[in-house]
Amino acid sequence: MNKMGLFSLRLCTGTLVRWAGLYPYSIRACTGMTKLQIDEEVAKLLELKAQLGGDDGKHAFVLKTAKGTRDYNPKQMAIREKVFNTIISCFKRHGAETIDTPVFELKETLTGKYGEDSKLIYDLKDQGGELLSLRYDLTVPFARYLAMNKITNIKRYHIAKVYRRDNPAMTRGRYREFYQCDFDIAGQYDPMIPDAECLKIVHEILSELELGDFRIKVNDRRILDGMFAVCGVPDDKFRTICSTVDKLDKVPWEDVKNEMVNEKGLAPEAADQIGEYVSMQGGMDLAEKLLQDLKLSQSKQACAGLTDMKQLFSYLQLFRVTDKVVFDLSLARGLDYYTGVIYEAVLTQSSPTPAPPAQQNGAVGEEGVSVGSVAGGGRYDGLVGMFDPKGRKVPCVGVSIGIERVFSIMEQKAEASAERVRTTETQVMVASAQKNLLEERLKLTAELWDAEIKAEVMYKKNPKLLSQLQHCEDTGIPLVAILGEQELKDGVVKLRTVATREEVDVSRAELVEEIKKRTL
């Protein structure tokens, strides 16, 4: 590119970036792009501008987040905090305690646990003789923690960031750095009781967050393996074929069959038999039907899984969640460490209706179109034993909430709603109606802080009362404690309700109690 061309491109890039910064709403109106999409395009322009360099030939420093990551403003953080509180409250309601593990692990700890997804693990450079990798999920570190500390029974939750060297699609909630919210039960218990509780937890969280209609799909790895065996899949292809079946919620059956046959070498007749099974959906009735299936009943593995599936649905009936749970033979979940029941929660655009047995692709009926997975998990009885020197197994079952997808939906709902999102929890603003009352305002603010009242004061000696009241309206602060010379003489504070503009004199001694009463 000649000098004139470079100059034109720099000029165009700089103009576009400035225009995007000044007029984001105009761009959104003209193009229909979301703010996140605009930010991503601007980031690409900035990166291109940096590569071209400044007019003096020096490399320009680019202010941007790394690919697949993002910053969160106070409004977004307020939404995230609300979601986290809802999830943590549910976990605690079910008796869980919490742990934490390092953000990176020895590379050998993570290697070989995720099947084909292992290529997405972030490796770090050699650090002091140790080969390290950023954690890919919270489940493998949990299993390592159990084996290392010889723990055989625990019910725990863990909320932390994980990392995946994925091709990010941030507009759909896919990042390289993101939070996971995990709940797991480790220990030897009677079949399906902990598994049913995990599904109950997913039901509670999705219902409380009011994300819209959802469906929880369940299956069992033993049923899948038995199905593969009776359909003629070679033993050494079980996991790779399982990974392909796992794509059925994203691509049509013909594409899945094509991958199994043409890319992974499966016989076409075996793929066709698999296609007949993975189109089936139902509940306890489907488990009973499959136990009578001439081919599937030949597999001891499949029969064990189907028997447990019947037991699972009987517990789910007691937990009153069967209206949202479906036994779906197309659900595979590609991670290698699952050994039994697996499940995935999917949001639907409208109220889901039972799908006919012949339906494919993991869809949920014409009136309930799948719009994305928001939770998943299952049973992994062999993972802890992989870390134990003596191979001692600790049965485990757990669920992970897809928190970033949840955040994206909550942010979109907040943006579409006229309701203001509060970014602080301030209960009262300490204000003055006259000059030279800074010391009195600071004294009252300190009294409120000592009484555990969330209070603010303006950092000016003589702020205008109108400015102080406007700040309360802008930020959603519900109360204003107004001081004046007369109030100080009378030993009272004028307490103003911002929403109604009603004012009442409250004695200084009763102010804390009155504020607490009004802000419960």
Side-chain angles (χ1 to χ4, degrees), residues 459-517:
Y459 305 136
K460 285 187 176 182
K461 284 187 176 181
N462 298 305
K464 294 179 180 178
L465 181 59
L466 186 61
S467 298
Q468 297 169 87
L469 296 177
Q470 187 62 50
H471 175 72
C472 293
E473 290 194 5
D474 292 343
T475 58
I477 299 173
L479 299 172
V480 189
I482 304 173
L483 290 173
E485 291 178 0
Q486 190 60 48
E487 283 80 11
L488 290 170
K489 286 179 184 176
D490 297 341
V492 298
V493 174
K494 195 176 293 296
L495 195 60
R496 178 187 175 102
T497 302
V498 175
T500 63
R501 302 185 179 181
E502 294 177 1
E503 295 180 347
V504 61
D505 287 342
V506 180
S507 71
R508 193 80 168 239
E510 297 174 353
L511 181 62
V512 168
E513 186 180 344
E514 184 65 24
I515 291 172
K516 288 183 176 179
K517 188 191 304 180

Side-chain angles (χ1 to χ4, degrees), residues 63 170 204 222 261 269 428 431 452 470 474 484:
L63 288 172
M170 294 171 67
E204 286 180 12
R222 293 167 297 174
V261 174
E269 55 272 20
V428 60
E452 297 187 352
Q470 187 62 50
D474 292 343

Side-chain angles (χ1 to χ4, degrees), residues 335-486:
L335 298 180
D336 274 6
Y337 52 65
Y338 288 123
T339 58
V341 168
I342 51 177
Y343 32 82
E344 184 171 88
V346 179
L347 292 186
T348 56
Q349 290 177 340
S350 59
S351 183
T353 55
Q359 195 165 16
Q360 296 179 359
N361 303 341
V364 291
E366 291 182 3
E367 296 182 25
V369 183
S370 171
V371 295
S373 169
V374 290
R379 177 159 287 280
Y380 51 102
D381 289 347
L383 189 56
V384 178
M386 294 174 69
F387 296 110
D388 191 283
K390 297 182 179 178
R392 288 170 294 203
K393 293 185 177 181
V394 178
C396 296
V397 64
V399 65
S400 180
I401 307 298
I403 199 72
E404 300 299 340
R405 182 70 60 85
V406 172
F407 287 148
S408 295
I409 295 165
M410 297 290 280
E411 285 176 22
Q412 289 169 17
K413 286 179 66 176
E415 194 170 334
S417 169
E419 185 179 348
R420 177 187 293 156
V421 176
R422 282 202 68 189
T423 57
T424 72
E425 296 184 5
T426 306
Q427 297 166 292
V428 60
M429 162 70 77
V430 178
S432 59
Q434 295 155 334
K435 293 183 177 181
N436 303 319
L437 292 176
L438 174 62
E439 291 182 1
E440 294 297 336
R441 283 192 290 131
L442 295 180
K443 279 164 58 178
L444 178 55
T445 305
E447 287 177 24
L448 296 177
W449 286 339
D450 291 343
E452 297 187 352
I453 298 289
K454 296 165 184 172
E456 279 187 37
V457 63
M458 274 204 165
Y459 305 136
K460 285 187 176 182
K461 284 187 176 181
N462 298 305
K464 294 179 180 178
L465 181 59
L466 186 61
S467 298
Q468 297 169 87
L469 296 177
Q470 187 62 50
H471 175 72
C472 293
E473 290 194 5
D474 292 343
T475 58
I477 299 173
L479 299 172
V480 189
I482 304 173
L483 290 173
E485 291 178 0
Q486 190 60 48

Side-chain angles (χ1 to χ4, degrees), residues 42-53:
V42 170
K44 290 176 185 176
L45 288 171
L46 285 168
E47 194 169 6
L48 178 59
K49 185 179 179 183
Q51 290 171 1
L52 293 172

Side-chain angles (χ1 to χ4, degrees), residues 206-217:
L206 296 184
S207 299
E208 195 169 343
L209 290 175
E210 298 180 337
L211 300 173
D213 291 314
F214 62 91
R215 175 164 288 193
I216 305 171
K217 299 186 288 186

